[in-house]
């Protein structure tokens, strides 16, 4: 493959915009980095480097596609599937770097680049899947029994997946239908970008400004410090309570001033105006796209290449969980209302739930999360918890590389090796919230493991933990501890991948099981033998008292009704938005949201969806369209796998031996094989839902 020119040797070439091919001399994206593991040279990168690199990459990708389409050689895996799966290396390189940076440091200049290049990339995707010449090559290879028989299992799986992707993206449509589909894709992409950028602005704009220190009652020193730092950053006096992406804000359990709790809760749930209409527009366009492709609705199209395969399977999961979850909510609400009444609160409101839920937990279950806080110092949780667990279970060793520059000054870089010294890759953690950072927590990659290409993974975890004052330690909540282990589970999926081809590496699995390995990794967060190493008091270094940890474990089912219901409310909302018949335009998105929750049996005055429509980035701009159900779907695999781990450990097998078996069977294969078959191979049977129902107290 040839890439875009990196100098002036072809000055007469123009791209699809009629512009001369950009001069990439001095552009750090022009060639693979010479840094360890191919780490991008972030120290040299500037915003102005991205547009020319994108232009060159898009032009090179179009040249690559044309060569595949016009080749007269018999179609083969190497000449058809590989170039279509992998694409031009320059475009792949610049896309990975850019979309990480725009999410973590989305300055107005970077967002402007995003708005310009997103339509190019959408058009480029259509140039692949709507080109009849390319599909003819793929289809011919797919139908060549002899050629398929000569392929490896991984190659056959990738060919099958590519052929299905062509069909689901419109390869069999007529010319006019393809034009219509391409136009729909462009408009959907444009609106999704607007939704992302506006949701980020809404999140920042919803912060609650306080000027009276008495209103901070209940917040500990670390929380007060973080609020003060946020105000300073914003150029304000006093304190600023910044928001995280989900509805329930992490300060609600602590704030004693009920009026401040109400302000914070309302700021969270009422954020967004433009985004609500954008969501309705996106859902309508997606429904039209699904109809064009021959599906009843977008949800039916979305699950066709997932492990659920049909909408009925998803709705059966909802049916099995909604009723029990809401019964649990009613039981929890009664106990919380009784506790609030002792404080004279007779009109329990949704902003009171987290506050009094934590009091019930402390008083009835003897779990005081505020008392636990000094034991959860971020640096120690990472080094002596998350990374140590990966060493004990999977035999990985981590070494800080302060000599390497990460994508942001706050980011930390570790080199990952096996215990025998074999190099695995790099892990980068970017943990603190910033104004220009997208909310939430996620994992992404800059490079993946591929034996064919000789590449190794560069994996990143990004979170939004409150930044402490200079010189002060950063503390994390119990929920954030779980999130750290969860996101590192995604990282392990990439780090432990062992496949031939990059397009099958790591998390390249069906969307509805991508959360499976990350959820399994949460099992180690409070595991005896792990937690004692990181849960140590910030001042004394003493481990958290064993009785406190046991109380946390024994209280695991308390609050599961709320947690399951708020999640299901969001999952069902996402689903209902994408079950709309073709061309259905929702004129009042707020009314639609309320109607769907009522119909689904999930409307409750004290429990809002984890994400409301106006800030539901997962579904309207984050790749989880008609896919938020995936967390619960994957948790069925997760809970069943945790039961398997427990069975194996109870039988006396060493944890390393059990971890390595799980890694070989599930983590290493990435998207190179059918995950359902791989799971049967590990478990000796298909997954069972009972462990999930028991975990969430639904039986």
């Amino acid at each position: 493959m040839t890439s875009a020119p990196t100098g002036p040797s072809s000055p007469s070439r123009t791209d699809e915009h009629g512009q001369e091919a950009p001069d990439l001399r001095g552009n750090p994206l022009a060639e693979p980095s010479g840094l360890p593991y191919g780490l991008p040279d972030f120290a040299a990168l500037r915003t102005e480097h991205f547009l020319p690199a994108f232009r060159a990459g898009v032009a090179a990708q179009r040249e690559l596609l044309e060569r595949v389409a016009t080749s007269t050689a018999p179609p083969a895996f190497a000449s058809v599937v590989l170039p279509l799966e992998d694409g031009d290396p320059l475009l792949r390189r610049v896309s990975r770097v850019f979309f990480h940076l725009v999410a973590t440091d989305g300055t107005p200049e970077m967002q402007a680049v995003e708005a310009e290049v997103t339509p190019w990339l959408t058009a480029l995707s259509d140039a692949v899947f709507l080109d009849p010449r390319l599909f003819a090559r793929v289809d011919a290879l797919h139908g060549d029994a002899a050629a398929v028989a000569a392929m490896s299992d991984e190659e056959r799986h990738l060919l099958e997946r590519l052929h299905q992707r062509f069909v689901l993206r419109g390869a069999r449509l007529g010319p006019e239908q393809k034009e219509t589909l391409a136009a729909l894709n462009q408009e959907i992409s444009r609106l999704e970008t607007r939704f992302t950028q506006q949701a980020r602005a809404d999140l920042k704009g919803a912060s609650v400004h306080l000027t009276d220190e008495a209103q901070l009652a209940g917040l500990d020193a670390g929380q007060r410090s973080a609020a003060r730092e946020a105000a300073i950053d914003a150029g304000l006096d006093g304190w600023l309570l910044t928001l995280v992406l989900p509805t329930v804000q992490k300060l609600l359990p602590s704030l004693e001033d009920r009026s401040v709790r109400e302000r914070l809760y309302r700021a969270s749930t009422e954020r967004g105006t433009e985004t609500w209409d954008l969501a309705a527009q996106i859902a309508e366009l997606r429904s039209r796209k699904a109809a064009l492709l021959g599906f009843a609705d977008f949800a039916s199209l979305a699950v066709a290449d997932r492990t659920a395969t049909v909408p009925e399977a998803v709705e059966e999961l909802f049916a099995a969980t909604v009723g029990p979850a809401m019964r649990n909510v009613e039981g929890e609400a009664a106990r919380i209302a009784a506790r609030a009444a002792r404080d004279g609160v007779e009109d329990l409101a949704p902003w009171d739930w987290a506050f009094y839920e934590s009091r019930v937990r402390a008083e009835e279950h003897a779990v005081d999360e505020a008392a636990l806080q000094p034991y959860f110092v971020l640096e120690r949780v990472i080094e002596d918890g998350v990374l140590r667990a990966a060493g004990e279970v999977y035999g990985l060793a981590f070494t800080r590389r302060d000599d390497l520059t990460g994508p942001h000054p706050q980011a930390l870089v570790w080199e990952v090796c096996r215990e025998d010294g074999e190099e695995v890759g790099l892990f980068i953690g970017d943990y603190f919230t910033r104004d220009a950072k997208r909310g939430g927590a996620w994992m992404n990659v800059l490079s993946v493991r591929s034996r064919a290409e000789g590449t190794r993974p560069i994996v990143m975890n990004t979170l939004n933990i409150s930044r402490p004052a200079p010189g002060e330690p950063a503390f994390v909540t119990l929920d954030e501890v779980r999130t750290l282990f969860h996101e590192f589970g995604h990282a392990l999926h990439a780090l432990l991948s062992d496949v031939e081809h990059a397009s099958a590496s790591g998390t390249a699995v069906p969307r509805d099981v991508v959360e499976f390995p990350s959820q399994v990794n949460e099992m180690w967060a409070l595991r005896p033998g792990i937690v004692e190493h990181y849960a140590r008091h910030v001042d004394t270094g003493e481990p958290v008292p064993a009785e406190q940890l046991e109380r946390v474990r024994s209280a695991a089912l308390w609050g599961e009704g709320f947690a399951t219901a708020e999640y299901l409310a969001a999952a069902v909302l996402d689903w209902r938005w994408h079950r709309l018949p073709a061309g259905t335009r929702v004129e009042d998105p707020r009314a639609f949201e309320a109607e769907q929750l009522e119909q689904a049996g999930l409307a409750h005055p004290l429990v809002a969806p984890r994400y409301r429509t106006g800030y539901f980035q997962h579904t309207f701009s984050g790749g989880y369209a008609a896919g938020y159900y995936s967390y619960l779907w994957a948790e069925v695999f997760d809970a069943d796998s945790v039961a398997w781990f427990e069975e194996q450990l109870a039988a006396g097998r060493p944890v390393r031996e059990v971890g390595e078996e799980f890694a070989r069977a599930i983590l290493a294969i990435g998207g190179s094989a059918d995950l359902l078959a791989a799971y049967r191979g590990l478990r000796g049977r298909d997954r069972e839902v009972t462990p999930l129902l028991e975990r969430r107290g639904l039986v």
Side-chain angles (χ1 to χ4, degrees):
M1 293 186 291
T2 59
S3 61
T6 56
S9 58
S10 304
S12 61
R13 283 184 49 191
T14 60
D15 62 19
E16 70 272 26
H17 307 288
Q19 298 178 343
E20 286 192 0
D23 184 352
L24 297 187
R25 287 175 298 185
N27 190 317
L29 294 166
E31 298 291 343
S33 166
L35 293 172
Y37 301 92
L39 179 70
D41 189 355
F42 289 108
L45 266 176
R46 302 289 181 270
T47 302
E48 57 267 24
H49 291 138
F50 286 105
L51 269 181
F54 267 118
R55 285 198 177 98
V58 167
Q61 174 74 353
R62 288 191 176 276
E63 287 184 356
L64 180 151
L65 297 178
E66 191 64 20
R67 288 197 301 275
V68 176
T70 57
S71 173
T72 58
F77 183 87
S79 61
V80 174
V81 178
L82 274 186
L84 293 181
E85 286 278 17
D86 294 343
D88 177 72
L90 171 60
L91 184 60
R92 185 171 52 181
R93 186 164 59 248
V94 65
S95 295
R96 285 173 175 165
V97 174
F98 175 78
F99 286 106
H100 173 74
L101 291 178
V102 78
T104 59
D105 196 18
T107 63
E109 294 77 15
M110 288 288 281
Q111 290 186 38
V113 174
E114 180 185 31
E116 186 163 355
V117 303
T118 300
W120 302 356
L121 300 179
T122 301
L124 200 54
S125 176
D126 287 339
V128 176
F129 295 107
L130 301 183
D131 188 327
R133 302 170 303 167
L134 291 174
F135 181 57
R137 301 279 289 167
V138 173
D139 201 35
L141 181 59
H142 185 259
D144 186 339
V148 172
M151 295 178 188
S152 68
D153 290 343
E154 179 177 323
E155 290 170 347
R156 280 191 290 272
H157 189 75
L158 289 176
L159 172 60
E160 187 63 39
R161 191 177 71 177
L162 180 64
H163 187 270
Q164 182 187 43
R165 200 152 67 245
F166 263 92
V167 173
L168 292 177
R169 296 195 184 186
R172 287 184 169 145
L173 297 178
E176 291 186 5
Q177 292 174 309
K178 287 181 177 179
E179 284 188 22
T180 301
L181 179 60
L184 283 171
N185 287 339
Q186 281 288 339
E187 184 63 5
I188 291 169
S189 173
R190 185 183 69 82
L191 293 176
E192 288 174 344
T193 300
R194 282 181 58 193
F195 189 99
T196 297
Q197 296 183 353
Q198 187 58 49
R200 181 188 286 128
D202 292 340
L203 184 69
K204 179 181 177 182
S207 299
V208 174
H209 183 211
L210 303 177
T211 55
D212 182 354
E213 189 170 6
Q215 294 177 305
L216 301 176
L219 300 189
D220 62 29
Q223 291 167 328
R224 290 172 183 243
S225 174
R228 179 66 188 131
E229 286 297 308
I232 291 171
D233 289 347
L236 298 171
D237 293 329
W239 299 265
L240 194 65
L241 308 184
T242 57
L243 271 64
V244 293
L245 195 58
T247 293
V248 177
Q249 299 299 305
K250 57 188 177 183
L251 295 182
L252 286 173
S254 303
L255 287 164
E256 296 175 1
D257 188 321
R258 195 182 186 206
S259 66
V260 177
R261 293 202 303 269
E262 180 178 1
R263 285 179 62 191
L264 185 60
Y265 183 86
R266 289 190 181 279
S268 177
T269 57
E270 296 172 8
R271 75 186 107 138
T273 51
E274 179 186 357
T275 50
W276 289 78
D277 188 58
L278 287 172
Q281 293 179 59
I282 291 167
E284 178 192 4
L285 293 174
R286 288 174 177 166
S287 72
R288 288 170 54 192
K289 173 179 175 175
L292 190 62
L293 291 167
F295 290 86
D297 49 53
F298 187 83
S300 301
L301 168 62
V303 299
D305 63 350
R306 299 176 186 163
T307 61
T309 69
V310 293
E312 290 74 18
V314 177
E315 289 172 357
E316 286 172 7
L317 183 61
F318 289 154
T321 50
V322 167
M326 296 309 286
R327 287 193 293 274
N328 284 2
V329 166
E330 291 300 337
E332 291 171 5
R335 292 166 66 183
I336 289 170
R339 175 60 184 84
R342 285 166 43 194
D343 286 354
V345 177
E346 300 292 343
D347 55 335
L348 190 68
W351 44 86
D352 299 316
W353 184 290
F355 184 80
Y356 285 107
E357 187 273 343
S358 68
R359 268 96 192 125
V360 172
R361 184 183 298 274
E363 295 166 8
E364 295 187 15
H365 299 279
V367 175
D368 184 351
E369 293 204 16
L372 285 172
Q373 187 85 85
Y375 293 93
F376 295 144
V377 178
L378 173 62
E379 184 176 358
R380 184 169 275 161
V381 173
I382 296 166
E383 292 274 5
D384 298 329
V386 175
L387 303 186
R388 183 187 183 94
E392 295 198 7
V393 180
Y394 300 110
L396 298 177
F398 299 82
T399 304
R400 277 282 296 273
R401 291 294 303 267
D402 294 331
D403 58 314
L404 298 178
T405 300
H408 189 276
Q410 294 176 350
L412 306 175
V413 182
W414 286 266
E415 183 173 20
V416 188
C417 296
R418 297 193 183 275
E419 286 179 321
D420 61 5
E422 178 190 351
E423 296 175 339
V424 174
L426 294 178
F427 170 66
I428 302 173
D430 183 0
Y431 298 108
F432 295 123
T433 190
R434 299 185 288 273
D435 281 349
K437 199 186 217 182
R438 175 166 64 85
W442 66 93
M443 165 270 195
N444 62 295
V445 298
L446 293 175
S447 176
V448 298
R449 161 79 161 154
S450 167
R451 291 195 300 266
E453 296 183 16
T455 57
R456 288 168 295 184
I458 302 174
V459 188
M460 290 174 291
N461 278 174
T462 303
L463 283 81
N464 274 276
I465 292 166
S466 296
R467 181 163 54 92
E472 296 294 323
F475 295 99
V476 290
T477 65
L478 188 56
D479 278 346
E480 287 169 333
V481 169
R482 294 190 182 100
T483 300
L484 286 161
F485 276 86
H486 176 99
E487 295 305 331
F488 195 73
H490 286 304
L492 286 169
H493 204 176
L495 290 168
L496 294 174
S497 180
D498 186 16
V499 297
E500 189 71 16
H501 301 293
S503 59
S505 192
T507 58
V509 297
R511 170 63 74 180
D512 55 7
V513 287
V514 76
E515 298 296 335
F516 163 32
S518 58
Q519 290 170 333
V520 169
N521 203 55
E522 293 180 42
M523 73 174 287
W524 308 109
L526 297 180
R527 184 87 180 177
I530 299 292
V531 64
E532 297 88 350
H533 290 284
Y534 73 81
R536 292 181 171 270
H537 197 279
V538 63
D539 295 323
T540 67
E542 290 296 312
V544 63
E547 60 272 18
Q548 286 200 42
L549 286 176
E550 189 52 41
R551 288 195 292 267
V552 169
R553 297 185 188 107
S554 64
L557 288 181
W558 171 243
E560 275 299 320
F562 181 95
T564 305
E566 69 157 359
Y567 162 76
L568 283 170
V572 168
L573 269 183
D574 163 55
W575 191 250
R576 295 292 182 90
W577 273 111
H578 294 106
R579 289 291 269 169
L580 293 170
T584 303
R585 177 62 181 277
V586 173
E587 298 299 334
D588 188 341
R590 287 178 173 81
F592 176 83
E593 178 178 286
E595 290 164 5
Q596 298 310 308
L597 293 175
E598 187 69 39
Q599 290 176 15
L602 287 161
H604 194 286
L606 299 175
V607 184
R610 181 168 173 80
Y611 301 100
R612 295 192 70 195
T613 298
Y615 47 92
F616 205 163
Q617 288 187 194
H618 283 77
T619 191
F620 293 111
S621 60
Y624 276 82
Y628 198 62
Y629 77 88
S630 300
Y631 287 89
L632 191 62
W633 185 268
E635 194 179 344
V636 177
F637 289 94
D638 154 36
D640 199 47
S641 295
V642 170
W644 173 82
F645 263 102
E646 298 292 0
E647 292 164 10
Q648 303 304 308
L649 296 175
R653 294 182 66 191
V655 66
R656 176 73 54 75
E657 181 181 298
V658 180
E660 288 179 353
E661 183 178 353
F662 183 76
R664 285 194 305 271
I666 302 298
L667 302 179
I669 67 171
S672 69
D674 176 28
L675 184 65
L676 298 180
Y679 191 77
R680 282 193 294 272
L682 173 73
R683 202 69 168 98
R685 58 166 172 76
D686 288 325
R687 66 177 191 164
E688 292 182 355
V689 73
T690 302
L692 167 70
L693 299 178
E694 291 174 346
R695 171 192 287 183
R696 286 187 172 259
L698 301 181
V699 291

